[in-house]
């Protein structure tokens, strides 16, 4: 009977040890997967941030129209995932988003070519009025965007 008890204890101990090793392996794989995901997010954020800086600078230097910059920047900001904090970019850059909301419905590229010339001119005038009305308020926001700290995007 005593031998049977020792044998059962040894088998139980081996089972517990095997499960502990398996759990440790799963924890290791989970940590590895989380590290890879974090690095992927950081790389994506770095690319997005570089594009944001470039577009903001181009708009500040009037190398691109404000409406184009607003469309591109708002989409990039929507994809940006700061690490460890929540940033409401709509509240932080309200004028940029206001311009985006005013021009996002306007057709671009091939869709624009489907309209008559007078309709395109009307849309351009509407876009230019929107840009002009918000230009003074957007410029400081572009400077703020260029100062968006990169450390917000790293763990």
């Amino acid at each position: 009977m005593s031998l049977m008890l020792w044998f059962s204890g040894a088998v139980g101990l081996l089972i517990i040890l095997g499960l502990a090793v398996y759990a440790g392996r799963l924890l290791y794989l989970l940590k590895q997967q989380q590290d890879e995901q974090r690095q992927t997010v950081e790389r994506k954020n770095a690319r997005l941030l570089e594009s944001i800086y470039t577009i903001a600078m181009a708009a500040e230097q009037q190398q691109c129209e404000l409406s184009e910059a607003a469309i591109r920047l708002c989409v990039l900001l929507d994809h940006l995932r700061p690490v460890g904090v929540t940033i409401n970019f709509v509240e932080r850059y309200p004028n940029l988003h206001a311009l985006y909301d005013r021009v996002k419905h306007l057709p671009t590229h091939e869709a624009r070519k489907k309209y008559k010339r007078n309709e395109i001119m009307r849309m351009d005038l509407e876009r230019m009025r929107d840009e002009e009305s918000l230009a003074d308020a957007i410029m400081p926001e572009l400077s703020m965007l260029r100062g968006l700290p990169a450390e917000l995007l790293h763990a």
Side-chain angles (χ1 to χ4, degrees):
M1 182 79 165
S2 172
L3 184 61
M4 184 67 133
L5 189 60
W6 276 98
F7 182 72
S8 298
V11 168
L13 190 60
L14 285 175
I15 290 173
I16 291 172
L17 185 62
L19 289 173
V21 168
Y22 181 67
R25 171 110 172 103
L26 289 178
L27 285 173
Y28 171 76
L29 291 174
L30 177 63
K31 180 169 178 7
Q32 204 173 26
Q33 183 182 29
Q34 289 172 337
D35 288 345
E36 288 173 10
Q37 289 173 345
R38 181 187 47 77
Q39 289 172 356
T40 300
V41 167
E42 286 180 1
R43 281 192 302 271
K44 180 181 176 186
N45 281 342
R47 284 192 310 272
L48 290 171
L49 197 59
E50 183 179 346
S51 294
I52 289 169
Y53 290 164
T54 303
I55 294 167
M57 184 170 40
E60 275 185 312
Q61 297 172 355
Q62 298 177 347
Q63 294 176 2
C64 76
E65 295 176 352
L66 285 179
S67 56
E68 181 181 353
I71 290 169
R72 293 176 183 273
L73 288 169
C74 289
V75 170
L76 291 171
L77 288 170
D78 188 46
H79 287 89
L80 197 61
R81 298 290 174 245
V83 177
V85 294
T86 301
I87 300 175
N88 186 336
F89 291 115
V90 176
E91 288 180 6
R92 196 170 195 171
Y93 309 105
N95 298 301
L96 189 66
H97 282 84
L99 181 58
Y100 172 70
D101 287 337
R102 290 183 187 181
V103 298
K104 67 182 176 186
H105 71 281
L106 297 174
T108 59
H109 309 299
E110 290 300 315
R112 183 178 166 94
K113 293 178 183 175
K114 295 176 185 175
Y115 290 89
K116 293 180 182 175
R117 187 173 162 180
N118 63 339
E119 291 177 25
I120 291 173
M121 289 179 66
R122 182 191 53 77
M123 288 186 278
D124 285 346
L125 285 173
E126 175 188 345
R127 179 184 48 78
M128 288 173 15
R129 275 194 302 268
D130 291 336
E131 286 178 356
E132 188 177 318
S133 69
L134 290 167
D136 290 339
I138 288 176
M139 286 302 172
E141 291 181 4
L142 293 172
S143 293
M144 288 171 52
L145 271 171
R146 288 190 330 124
L148 190 64
E151 53 271 7
L152 286 178
L153 308 175
H154 301 289

